C-alpha cells in the first residue's frame, strides 16, 4: 500500500471523513446529528476548528440563538466527555500539550 494515510498513519483522513459526514447531515438539515459529527471530527484533529465560524453562522441563521447555543453546548459536552479520562489523570499536562501553540513544524 502506497497511501500517505496508511504509510504515515496521519489522522487527516479520519477527521475529514467525519467532517464530510457532518456536512452531509447539515445539507439534510439534521442539525444536532451534524453537530455531534462535527465535534467528533474536532476531537480527531484541531484543524477542523477552522470550520466553526461557518457552522456557527449556519446554525444561527437556521435555528436562532437558543438552539445554536444548545448545539454549541452539545459540542462542548462531547469534547469534555472525550477528554475526561485525560483531564482526570493530569489536567495540567493534558491542556498544556493539547493546546501547545508554540510548536514550529519544519518541512523536510
Amino acid at each position: 500500500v502506497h497511501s500517505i494515510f496508511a504509510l504515515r498513519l496521519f489522522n487527516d483522513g479520519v477527521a475529514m471523513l467525519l467532517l464530510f459526514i457532518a456536512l452531509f447531515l447539515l445539507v439534510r438539515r439534521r442539525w444536532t446529528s451534524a453537530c455531534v459529527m462535527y465535534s467528533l471530527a474536532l476531537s480527531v484533529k484541531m484543524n477542523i476548528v477552522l470550520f466553526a465560524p461557518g457552522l456557527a453562522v449556519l446554525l444561527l441563521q437556521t435555528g436562532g440563538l437558543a438552539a445554536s447555543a444548545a448545539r454549541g453546548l452539545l459540542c462542548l459536552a462531547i469534547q469534555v466527555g472525550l477528554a475526561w479520562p485525560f483531564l482526570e489523570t493530569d489536567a495540567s499536562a493534558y491542556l498544556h500539550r493539547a493546546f501547545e501553540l508554540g510548536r514550529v513544524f519544519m518541512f523536510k
Side-chain angles (χ1 to χ4, degrees), residues 8 12 17 19 28 45 51 54 64-65 71 86 105:
R8 302 281 178 130
D12 299 77
L17 175 65
L19 179 67
R28 306 284 297 181
K45 190 152 180 140
F51 293 89
L65 184 60
R71 290 182 180 116
F86 306 103
F105 295 98

Side-chain angles (χ1 to χ4, degrees), residues 36-69:
V36 169
M37 295 307 294
Y38 173 80
S39 188
L40 292 175
L42 184 61
S43 71
V44 173
K45 190 152 180 140
M46 285 293 290
N47 67 341
I48 302 299
V49 78
L50 297 172
F51 293 89
L55 177 63
V57 168
L58 184 62
L59 291 176
L60 281 169
Q61 287 181 341
T62 58
L65 184 60
S68 299

Side-chain angles (χ1 to χ4, degrees), residues 11-45:
N11 54 3
D12 299 77
V14 174
M16 293 308 294
L17 175 65
L18 293 170
L19 179 67
F20 289 152
I21 292 170
L23 293 175
F24 173 76
L25 291 168
L26 287 171
V27 169
R28 306 284 297 181
R29 298 185 181 275
R30 309 248 342 246
W31 311 115
T32 303
S33 299
C35 287
V36 169
M37 295 307 294
Y38 173 80
S39 188
L40 292 175
L42 184 61
S43 71
V44 173
K45 190 152 180 140

Side-chain angles (χ1 to χ4, degrees), residues 68-84:
S68 299
R71 290 182 180 116
L73 287 174
L74 173 64
C75 290
L76 180 64
I78 291 169
Q79 292 302 305
V80 171
L82 291 171
W84 190 255

Side-chain angles (χ1 to χ4, degrees), residues 91-107:
S92 177
Y94 173 73
L95 292 172
H96 176 71
R97 297 292 294 172
F99 302 103
E100 187 178 0
L101 302 176
R103 290 188 296 177
V104 176
F105 295 98
M106 305 298 289
F107 179 73

